[in-house]
Amino acid sequence: MAAAAEAPTMATSTIPKSTTSAAPASSSSLEQISTLSPTTLAGSPAWSASFSIDGQYLAVCFGNPDTHVKVWEYCRGSSRHPREQNGLINNAKYSSSSISQKKQQQQQKQNQSSLTASDKDQNDNIEDEEEWKLIAILRDDDDDNNKKKRTIRSVAFAPTSSTLGVPILATASFDGSVLIWEHCPDHDDNYNEHDDGENDSENDENDNANLSHYFEPIAQLQGHENEIKCLAWNATGSLLATCGRDKTVWIWECYLPGTVGGITSSSATTTAMSVVMDDIRIGGGGGGRSRREQGDGEFFECLAVLQGHDGDVKSIVFGPSHSQWGEGEEVLYSASYDDTIRVWAEESGEWYCAATLGRGGSGGGSGGGSSDHALVMGAVHSSTVWSLGLTPGGVRLFSGSEDGSIAIWKMYTAAERRRLFPNNNATTTTTAAVSHTDGLWNCVGKLPDAHSTYAVLSIDCAPSRAGHGRVVSGGGDNCINIYREEEGDGGGGNSDAPKFTLEAVAIDSHDGDVNCVKWHPRDGTCLVSCGDDGAVRMWRYRRGTAI
């Protein structure tokens, strides 16, 4: 397994403040359109949410005392099953929404009727008759009487299109294990179709046993010593990364249907994926590479256990390397309780720590550069880095911290690093772990009071359809914020010194911490949030004009 070597610390001068207003500076808005799971203050917190790559499915995990995962499927029009529109199996039946959800949707229809024509054109990605149907409730215990389970902290759909008929979901638990779940169309007949009567909620609860068959566990990954905090797939689904309280990051190579190198034929899929979970359990705690073959497919292989952080690793995200970090096409970013971010790259089949962001020191040389390009010296965050958000192009990174701030990072190429930051020369001022061809990440701005003095627990960068430079954040102040990057010469910044405006706010969006916010991958007007109150809410972002 690849061992992590010490890497240079990105040093530098004063970080520019990137906020331009303390209150929303446009007519944009963020409005709640539905509640998929109601508030349960005495129940289980909702920790993490994930959309499938095509936006067809949504999964949310819940913690103790009733730890489980809920999966919803999206349909336009209540009379048609979503997969029927994709030309796939269409004989599935699924439960109706609760009465409270239907009332919210009816109210939303009334609100839609009062929109101007331009508003309707702008938000035509979401139809009035849209609906998210609860289709699965997943539990990782085989014994219904065994309810004492460790919290499920993170969920992530593999980037395989639902049209392949084999959506794959990964869930990470505080017991140090990861479960891989596969969509099982053969169990669709177990669904019960309900009337729109007042007993829908009770019926849904009674049908949990049937719903749980819609996805079934096909693999379990083990290796972390204790709690797993986050997991993430790479862009192709060929790699899965996990991180946890044991201060490590694990990288697994994956061979799953619909992924690069995975099973392609339906017959092979049926043979390889219909195995008993215990037969493909993988343990990696003993060191060395770990692989298990089953049928026609090898599912997972542990490629590396990365060590280097001095505290819990809270968040991870894959991004493109742009040929600036090692030989691989992707890099991995990790955020930690030690107040830093690490950049991990691959070269000659081995993963290494290419950079440590946010910690002061002499690793970056004197920090000198041209007058417009100062390399930041000293710590960037003063407390735990909870969350990371990467723009679609992978050249800008956002980090959210316990100190209430969001830092903005820019990737510079190796050529730009040598030209703009001549004193930060990897061949003379950094450790041998870093290649002279590596690029550089520099903090180019900061939103120091993004959530006042409360932790920034989640960040997500918008898809291109939401407009240029938008990022959403959720915090310990119970709020959801959307920031927009200002452009042009009229007070706007540039990529080396960006300026962001607080564009929309949902105050008291949850009755507690907002643990996760996610943009819909295909629709720039739709977001989901979940929080400590156990609620899961859908939001509509309406882009307005500057005030």
Side-chain angles (χ1 to χ4, degrees):
M1 294 186 186
E6 285 299 324
T9 302
M10 295 306 168
T12 263
S13 49
T14 304
I15 304 171
K17 185 177 179 180
S18 292
T19 44
T20 60
S21 63
S26 76
S27 59
S28 299
S29 64
L30 185 61
E31 302 174 2
Q32 181 181 333
I33 57 176
S34 65
T35 298
L36 302 186
S37 185
T39 297
T40 54
L41 293 178
S44 301
W47 284 114
S48 172
S50 175
F51 286 104
S52 60
I53 191 173
D54 54 9
Q56 192 76 7
Y57 294 92
L58 169 66
V60 176
C61 62
F62 298 80
N64 282 328
D66 182 22
T67 183
H68 63 283
V69 177
K70 289 182 178 177
V71 182
W72 291 267
E73 191 170 16
Y74 176 72
C75 32
R76 293 180 183 271
S78 59
S79 63
R80 296 184 65 192
H81 191 283
R83 283 176 296 151
E84 178 183 351
Q85 298 176 353
N86 292 332
L88 297 178
I89 301 171
N90 61 15
N91 61 353
K93 299 179 181 179
Y94 42 84
S95 62
S96 301
S97 301
S98 67
I99 292 300
S100 61
Q101 293 174 22
K102 291 186 178 296
K103 288 182 178 179
Q104 290 174 347
Q105 290 167 351
Q106 291 171 358
Q107 182 64 46
Q108 183 60 29
K109 291 180 181 180
Q110 296 175 2
N111 294 340
Q112 277 291 97
S113 64
S114 64
L115 293 177
T116 65
S118 60
D119 287 333
K120 289 183 178 180
D121 290 341
Q122 179 184 359
N123 295 294
D124 61 2
N125 289 332
I126 299 183
E127 299 179 359
D128 287 344
E129 64 269 24
E130 71 164 7
E131 196 165 21
W132 288 90
K133 299 288 189 179
L134 179 64
I135 61 170
I137 298 178
L138 315 180
R139 303 180 189 277
D140 66 354
D141 53 23
D142 295 326
D143 182 0
D144 290 338
N145 296 320
N146 182 13
K147 299 297 184 183
K148 189 175 181 181
K149 287 290 182 180
R150 293 290 188 105
T151 285
I152 301 174
R153 185 58 182 268
S154 183
V155 293
F157 275 104
T160 56
S161 174
S162 301
T163 59
L164 294 174
V166 283
I168 302 295
L169 179 68
T171 62
S173 172
F174 271 15
D175 66 2
S177 67
V178 173
L179 279 178
I180 309 298
W181 304 77
E182 180 204 6
H183 166 256
C184 301
D186 291 342
H187 290 292
D188 281 346
D189 290 339
N190 289 326
Y191 285 88
N192 292 328
E193 187 174 18
H194 302 139
D195 295 329
D196 293 339
E198 297 182 357
N199 295 323
D200 281 348
S201 297
E202 181 179 354
N203 288 339
D204 287 344
E205 183 176 354
N206 292 336
D207 285 338
N208 283 353
N210 287 334
L211 288 172
S212 66
H213 288 296
Y214 192 74
F215 284 76
E216 71 176 9
I218 60 169
Q220 183 176 25
L221 312 182
Q222 294 178 324
H224 283 277
E225 295 177 359
N226 40 45
E227 302 169 5
I228 297 178
K229 302 289 188 179
C230 184
L231 51 76
W233 299 88
N234 70 342
T236 62
S238 61
L239 297 176
L240 175 66
T242 60
C243 64
R245 189 178 179 182
D246 59 7
K247 308 177 186 179
T248 66
V249 177
W250 288 59
I251 299 179
W252 303 84
E253 189 169 22
C254 313
Y255 304 89
L256 292 171
T259 65
V260 175
I263 306 166
T264 56
S265 70
S266 58
S267 60
T269 299
T270 301
T271 301
M273 303 299 278
S274 61
V275 295
V276 179
M277 183 181 69
D278 288 341
D279 289 340
I280 55 176
R281 179 170 298 176
I282 301 175
R289 292 198 174 186
S290 188
R291 174 185 295 179
R292 183 62 180 263
E293 299 183 7
Q294 176 67 36
D296 296 327
E298 299 174 354
F299 296 135
F300 296 91
E301 177 184 348
C302 183
L303 294 182
V305 177
L306 309 178
Q307 300 175 343
H309 279 294
D310 296 327
D312 299 12
V313 186
K314 302 294 189 181
S315 181
I316 48 178
V317 61
F318 279 100
S321 69
H322 293 292
S323 302
Q324 300 302 315
W325 306 89
E327 298 174 344
E329 296 181 354
E330 293 174 294
V331 291
L332 179 66
Y333 305 93
S334 59
S336 174
Y337 182 82
D338 64 14
D339 311 344
T340 70
I341 303 161
R342 289 196 174 229
V343 183
W344 308 91
E346 182 267 329
E347 190 163 359
S348 301
E350 300 294 331
W351 286 79
Y352 67 98
C353 183
T356 301
L357 315 182
R359 175 178 294 170
S362 58
S366 64
S370 67
S371 59
D372 294 332
H373 300 87
L375 191 63
V376 176
M377 299 291 288
V380 172
H381 290 297
S382 61
S383 189
T384 301
V385 184
W386 278 102
S387 53
L388 297 173
L390 193 67
T391 56
V395 295
R396 178 176 285 173
L397 179 71
F398 295 83
S399 56
S401 172
E402 179 73 27
D403 62 18
S405 71
I406 295 176
I408 306 161
W409 306 83
K410 177 183 176 180
M411 176 192 286
Y412 292 88
T413 66
E416 288 173 329
R417 187 201 68 208
R418 291 189 293 268
R419 175 170 56 87
L420 300 174
F421 311 102
N423 292 327
N424 187 264
N425 189 329
T427 61
T428 59
T429 62
T430 65
T431 66
V434 177
S435 168
H436 70 282
T437 61
D438 280 347
L440 177 145
W441 279 97
N442 188 35
C443 184
V444 295
K446 195 172 183 181
L447 312 179
D449 52 357
H451 284 267
S452 301
T453 59
Y454 294 89
V456 182
L457 300 174
S458 181
I459 298 178
D460 195 37
C461 294
S464 58
R465 294 186 181 187
H468 173 76
R470 284 175 171 81
V471 60
V472 63
S473 62
D477 58 355
N478 307 355
C479 294
I480 300 173
N481 296 343
I482 293 180
Y483 289 91
R484 169 181 54 85
E485 183 177 5
E486 295 185 1
E487 297 181 280
D489 298 330
N494 55 60
S495 63
D496 296 307
K499 298 293 183 181
F500 280 80
T501 294
L502 181 60
E503 187 172 53
V505 179
I507 299 174
D508 292 329
S509 59
H510 286 266
D511 294 325
D513 293 355
V514 182
N515 293 321
C516 185
V517 285
K518 291 287 185 183
W519 292 92
H520 189 281
R522 299 289 181 88
D523 189 338
T525 71
C526 182
L527 304 93
V528 67
S529 68
C530 60
D532 273 357
D533 58 2
V536 179
R537 297 193 168 101
M538 300 300 299
W539 303 84
R540 175 172 294 159
Y541 160 68
R542 290 189 175 131
R543 184 169 40 173
T545 57
I547 297 175

